[in-house]
Amino acid sequence: MASPSPALDGRCKLLSAPAPSTDVFATVAAEYATLAAEHGPRNVLVLKRHPAGLESLTEALADADVEQADGGPSSPRIESVPEHASKTIEEFDPTLDRLEYEERIELISLVIDGASRSIPDYLERAGDHESFSRDVGQLLLEATRQRIRLDDLAADEIHDCLAFLYAMNDRFHDEIDDRGYVERADVIPRAVDLLEADADGVRTRVTASFDAVLAVEFEEYRELDRRYLAALTDDAALVCLGERHASVERTRVEPGPVEEVAIDAGLEVESLDPASGDDTAETPPHRAITRFLATGESPDRTDDRRDADDAANTDPTGSARRIRAETAREQVRAVATEIQSLSDRHDWSYDEFAVAVPRIERVPETRRRLRDAGVPTATIGTPSLAEDPAVNELYAVVTIQCERERDADALTRIDAADTTRGHRASSDPRDVSLNRLRARVPDFSPDLLAETDGPSVRRSLERWIRRTNLKGRIAGEEDWIDAREQYAGVRRVLEIARFVEETDLVGPDWQGLRRMLRRTVQYDAPYVHAVETQPPTGGVTVCAVDDLKYDSRNAVFLLDLIDETYPGEQFLTQLFPSAWLREMAAYPAVTDPSIADITETFETVDATAIGDPFETYHAQRSRRRLALAARAAERALYCCSYERGSGGLRRTYDESRYLKLVESTPGLGLDDVDATAGAAIHGETNALEALLAQPRGELERVLREASTGGEADLGETEALFEEIAVVLEEGDIDDELADAVRSQFELAAGEVVRDE
């Protein structure tokens, strides 16, 4: 296990509770300006624990009132801890290669395949589940980040499944060490070793460029992060800036409040009042809800922890808006309508909105549904390779080239057979691949595969891309966001091909490339790589809820606020049952918290009401996630939920317990937004759909009234139809839209085919 953290020499300034994001940025900027005035801006290094939100923080510091001694502009030096640690390793050994995601998948699979240790029965059975590989990968990544090795654990205290997985992880790291790689999860542990040993004078070289360090987001610094910070600041001034009641990631692996962590590390702790980011801005109506979710403090408290604004208000109230829908799809549709409404009413640009989902895997689907509803989105990332059309095309090329590599005449026979049976649907990979290429590539012929084939698989794929104009087809057929992502997918495939030619893990041929691509596509998860949420073109940001911690938007929509998600039922991992996790002391997370751990870490917990400590502890982390996401909203916060089945035909609004708690707390409230079909229409897509639905809907209303003996006002119907007819005849509308509206009238009248 890692040795105890060296003492940190410096100060730790803590905000009393999560403040609005603009105030947090202003506070960091003020502390940075103080250090820059004393040491010079070029001599101050700002370290943020997580990369998420780095762009927003950089903008805030760039606006700080700091000038160079020569009067020139100053650019803040700000990096995430993983990024800085990576540069430290490169300073020691510029030739050291970081193991890419795809390379890691292949190498660890070979290690497991060659294991001499017997696989536990449970893992054998669990291996059939779709999420097994990802869950194992996440577990081993976390074990690597915490430098957990099997030899450091007592044999009688570790579960057989964990012992097997940790043994594989140790073998995996021995293998990558021999090959001269460093895994991304191992960057900080490796950098800690180098700095503490001052290997080849690396610490002296790295620390020579700064005199002071501002450690931001200190509440999330784990043990190894603090050791890294200690090694960096041995001869530099250190100021740590953190927030109480704001740690989510650190508390996943170690309990305790941030002030206790700071004191144990040797820092002088002082409380800090947040600076004001905008003196003219109104206090957001949901601020009391944010504070309540984070600290448990309700607006009717009368102790000295209430804000001055609240103290002057005899009846302080916190409110957010609530969207309820019948299904998850309709939830997103209602969000799209509300975004368009807010944009119209307040003239807000789309990049002033953020839509947060519980898990990053939900980003692609949510983003697609928003765009289908007419809302432009800005999130750029690398989606699952299995869902990328360009990657699937290249995988089809690789599959067919494998057949040609085994048998030069195989493709001719397959193509002849396909011609005979008329390209009949088949599950054979060769048939699937040929059908995909025929569908995607104009004038496709088997000769094209032969013409682009060569001794280098990477160059062969590049020839295919050029000959078939793949990038041009992507640009011409896809929206710019999809095009950028598919370009990223193409680059990933080419990088894998390059790796195949350079490594001895697989053969440098089509068979080796197909093996590695197949495994990568199978185990890949959406958006596990870089995600850019603020591209220059603008649009609504769609992101995981945790990414909003250091972000700020006019309006934030929190999706899927049902109890199944917040707090949820499955904590930490799906790999093991919760009952097992409670007994797994060697699992790289908090699995057996004491009552004291819970109450000291979360002020929102009543010690007398704790049932299951494990569930209570991690449920409180989920509550904090909501609080930190809520504070990113500057003007409007929307809490969104949908109905879910509860057995049989019955459905219910199983809202998150935290929403129910907010609603039942005096001084806090949720204002419902009309998400029904009759709500106000906003946005071009919604308007078109409403227009197309009117003819059939109006005729059905008349027939319904007639069948039940009621009276229908045909005058209203005639007026509506006349208005539509005038628009069709005289309005400046698309011919296809006019044709679609006329078709709706004919369909409503029972005409199946229109007589031209």
Side-chain angles (χ1 to χ4, degrees):
M1 298 292 288
S3 58
S5 301
L8 292 169
D9 183 12
R11 292 171 294 160
C12 181
K13 300 184 178 184
L14 299 176
L15 301 176
S16 60
S21 296
T22 51
D23 290 355
V24 173
F25 295 149
T27 303
V28 178
E31 293 299 321
Y32 168 71
T34 300
L35 286 173
E38 181 179 354
H39 301 280
R42 290 179 180 171
N43 298 321
V44 177
L45 172 64
V46 182
L47 288 180
K48 185 180 180 297
R49 174 56 191 93
H50 293 298
L54 204 61
E55 300 87 355
S56 300
L57 187 58
T58 301
E59 292 176 6
L61 297 192
D63 294 337
D65 187 14
V66 175
E67 289 187 359
Q68 294 282 74
D70 58 7
S74 62
S75 299
R77 297 177 55 189
I78 176 169
E79 297 180 81
S80 67
V81 174
E83 180 184 12
H84 193 271
S86 179
K87 292 181 179 178
T88 298
I89 293 176
E90 290 176 356
E91 180 69 31
F92 172 73
D93 183 2
T95 65
L96 199 64
D97 287 332
R98 283 186 294 272
L99 199 66
E100 295 296 336
Y101 181 79
E102 297 81 10
E103 300 160 2
R104 181 182 187 276
I105 289 175
E106 187 64 28
L107 186 53
I108 201 168
S109 67
L110 292 175
V111 168
I112 293 177
D113 290 344
S116 58
R117 191 185 185 113
S118 60
I119 301 178
D121 292 341
Y122 174 81
L123 292 179
E124 286 248 53
R125 296 192 301 271
D128 295 333
H129 293 277
E130 180 181 354
S131 65
F132 174 78
S133 298
R134 296 176 193 170
D135 293 336
V136 168
Q138 290 300 316
L139 169 60
L140 298 186
L141 284 172
E142 192 56 52
T144 300
R145 292 188 183 103
Q146 298 181 45
R147 189 168 288 172
I148 297 176
R149 298 186 68 89
L150 181 61
D151 292 342
D152 298 327
L153 303 172
D156 58 344
E157 295 180 359
I158 183 170
H159 193 281
D160 288 346
C161 292
L162 285 180
F164 173 81
L165 293 173
Y166 288 166
M168 294 304 100
N169 202 39
D170 292 346
R171 283 193 57 203
F172 167 66
H173 282 96
D174 290 341
E175 192 72 27
I176 64 175
D177 288 344
D178 291 342
R179 296 171 182 270
Y181 292 118
V182 60
E183 185 185 9
R184 291 184 182 274
D186 199 30
V187 164
I188 293 176
R190 185 78 66 92
V192 167
D193 286 344
L194 293 174
L195 289 177
E196 290 182 346
D198 197 15
D200 196 25
V202 65
R203 182 171 63 188
T204 303
R205 297 198 303 274
V206 169
T207 60
S209 62
F210 57 82
D211 297 326
V213 173
L214 177 60
V216 180
E217 202 178 15
F218 184 72
E219 70 276 0
E220 299 290 21
Y221 279 62
R222 303 181 181 187
E223 181 180 354
L224 279 172
D225 305 325
R226 299 192 294 271
R227 287 181 59 183
Y228 184 76
L229 196 58
L232 271 183
T233 58
D234 188 41
D235 297 317
L238 172 63
V239 175
C240 300
L241 188 60
E243 299 176 89
R244 294 183 173 95
H245 315 293
S247 173
V248 175
E249 288 302 314
R250 176 186 59 80
T251 51
R252 184 181 189 274
V253 301
E254 57 179 52
V258 61
E259 56 264 45
E260 182 179 300
V261 170
I263 292 171
D264 290 345
L267 294 169
E268 297 178 11
V269 176
E270 59 182 86
S271 295
L272 183 67
D273 294 327
S276 176
D278 185 355
D279 294 332
T280 63
E282 298 180 0
T283 300
H286 55 274
R287 182 173 179 183
I289 292 179
T290 300
R291 184 167 55 242
F292 173 72
L293 289 172
T295 69
E297 181 181 338
S298 58
D300 60 353
R301 292 188 62 154
T302 57
D303 59 25
D304 58 4
R305 278 182 289 181
R306 285 179 52 188
D307 287 351
D309 291 346
D310 283 351
N313 189 345
T314 58
D315 186 23
T317 301
S319 65
R321 308 201 74 186
R322 174 169 57 188
I323 290 178
R324 284 174 164 178
E326 292 185 358
T327 65
R329 180 187 296 272
E330 291 180 9
Q331 171 194 227
V332 178
R333 192 58 178 267
V335 167
T337 299
E338 189 66 13
I339 288 174
Q340 291 161 331
S341 172
L342 290 172
S343 179
D344 292 343
R345 294 201 312 266
H346 303 294
D347 196 26
W348 291 349
S349 62
Y350 282 114
D351 55 9
E352 290 296 338
F353 298 90
V355 176
V357 293
R359 301 176 311 279
I360 203 166
E361 288 83 5
R362 286 270 284 121
V363 167
E365 177 190 9
T366 303
R367 196 197 65 183
R368 175 177 54 79
R369 288 180 175 174
L370 285 172
R371 291 168 58 200
D372 288 346
V375 173
T377 59
T379 303
I380 302 297
T382 305
S384 172
L385 290 178
E387 301 171 359
D388 191 318
V391 170
N392 283 327
E393 176 181 323
L394 294 179
Y395 183 71
V397 171
V398 173
T399 299
I400 299 301
Q401 295 288 20
C402 283
E403 291 299 315
R404 294 186 63 255
E405 191 174 57
R406 281 197 294 261
D407 182 356
D409 297 327
L411 190 58
T412 303
R413 292 194 298 272
I414 295 171
D415 193 54
D418 277 353
T419 303
T420 302
R421 63 177 181 243
H423 306 322
R424 189 175 59 222
S426 169
S427 59
D428 187 296
R430 299 170 302 181
D431 293 337
V432 171
S433 298
L434 279 173
N435 289 337
R436 175 170 287 130
L437 295 178
R438 292 189 185 103
R440 283 188 56 86
V441 182
D443 302 323
F444 169 79
S445 72
D447 293 339
L448 191 57
L449 289 161
E451 293 168 5
T452 56
D453 191 11
S456 165
V457 292
R458 179 175 59 84
R459 291 194 177 93
S460 297
L461 286 179
E462 290 173 344
R463 277 194 292 272
W464 173 270
I465 292 169
R466 289 194 301 269
R467 288 288 301 277
T468 64
N469 191 28
L470 175 57
K471 292 184 177 180
R473 286 185 281 128
I474 292 173
E477 299 169 3
E478 306 289 349
D479 292 334
W480 70 270
I481 291 181
D482 292 329
R484 279 190 59 174
E485 291 187 346
Q486 289 187 33
Y487 289 153
V490 171
R491 284 195 299 271
R492 287 181 68 191
V493 173
L494 292 176
E495 288 169 1
I496 294 171
R498 175 193 58 77
F499 180 74
V500 164
E501 293 184 340
E502 295 176 354
T503 186
D504 59 350
L505 297 177
V506 294
D509 51 20
W510 291 113
Q511 302 294 337
L513 178 57
R514 184 168 186 261
R515 168 197 163 104
M516 194 163 177
L517 265 180
R518 182 177 65 248
R519 200 184 300 271
T520 304
V521 170
Q522 178 182 359
Y523 294 159
D524 194 34
Y527 290 80
V528 297
H529 310 276
V531 174
E532 178 188 354
T533 57
Q534 292 180 321
T537 52
V540 174
T541 291
V542 185
C543 61
V545 68
D546 297 321
D547 292 340
L548 287 179
K549 183 175 181 180
Y550 266 73
D551 207 341
S552 179
R553 304 297 167 108
N554 277 346
V556 171
F557 294 80
L558 304 180
L559 266 57
D560 300 352
L561 263 62
I562 59 177
D563 212 56
E564 191 178 58
T565 305
Y566 297 101
E569 301 170 353
Q570 186 76 47
F571 299 108
L572 299 181
T573 182
Q574 301 179 74
L575 186 59
F576 301 117
S578 295
W580 286 22
L581 287 173
R582 292 173 175 86
E583 304 298 327
M584 287 181 167
Y587 191 87
V590 177
T591 59
D592 187 23
S594 66
I595 300 299
D597 287 337
I598 300 172
T599 55
E600 290 172 3
T601 307
F602 305 103
E603 193 172 315
T604 50
V605 174
D606 179 1
T608 62
I610 295 176
D612 182 335
F614 173 81
E615 180 178 332
T616 300
Y617 184 91
H618 291 288
Q620 292 301 313
R621 290 181 55 249
S622 180
R623 175 172 173 165
R624 259 190 199 172
R625 294 173 72 209
L626 286 179
L628 294 171
R631 69 101 171 259
E634 294 182 27
R635 305 281 294 277
L637 173 67
Y638 287 80
C639 302
C640 311
S641 61
Y642 58 90
E643 291 183 1
R644 57 186 293 269
S646 58
L649 299 177
R650 190 164 58 92
R651 297 180 64 84
T652 182
Y653 280 112
D654 187 19
E655 280 186 322
S656 167
R657 67 191 67 175
Y658 303 127
L659 274 190
K660 295 176 182 176
L661 188 58
V662 166
E663 193 171 30
S664 64
T665 299
L668 303 179
L670 298 171
D671 302 325
D672 288 330
V673 175
D674 186 2
T676 62
I681 299 170
H682 293 273
E684 181 180 354
T685 300
N686 288 340
L688 293 178
E689 290 193 1
L691 177 62
L692 291 174
Q694 279 185 335
R696 176 182 290 273
E698 188 65 19
L699 290 176
E700 287 181 348
R701 182 185 70 82
V702 173
L703 292 174
R704 186 167 56 250
E705 290 292 336
S707 65
T708 57
E711 295 183 359
D713 186 354
L714 295 180
E716 292 183 5
T717 302
E718 290 177 357
L720 173 64
F721 286 176
E722 286 177 2
E723 186 174 347
I724 293 175
V726 169
V727 171
L728 293 179
E729 294 298 328
E730 301 178 3
D732 183 17
I733 64 173
D734 186 84
D735 291 341
E736 292 185 3
L737 174 60
D739 192 55
V741 174
R742 294 188 184 97
S743 297
Q744 293 302 310
F745 277 102
E746 292 162 355
L747 288 171
E751 298 179 22
V752 179
V753 179
R754 182 169 65 249
D755 184 5
E756 295 289 344

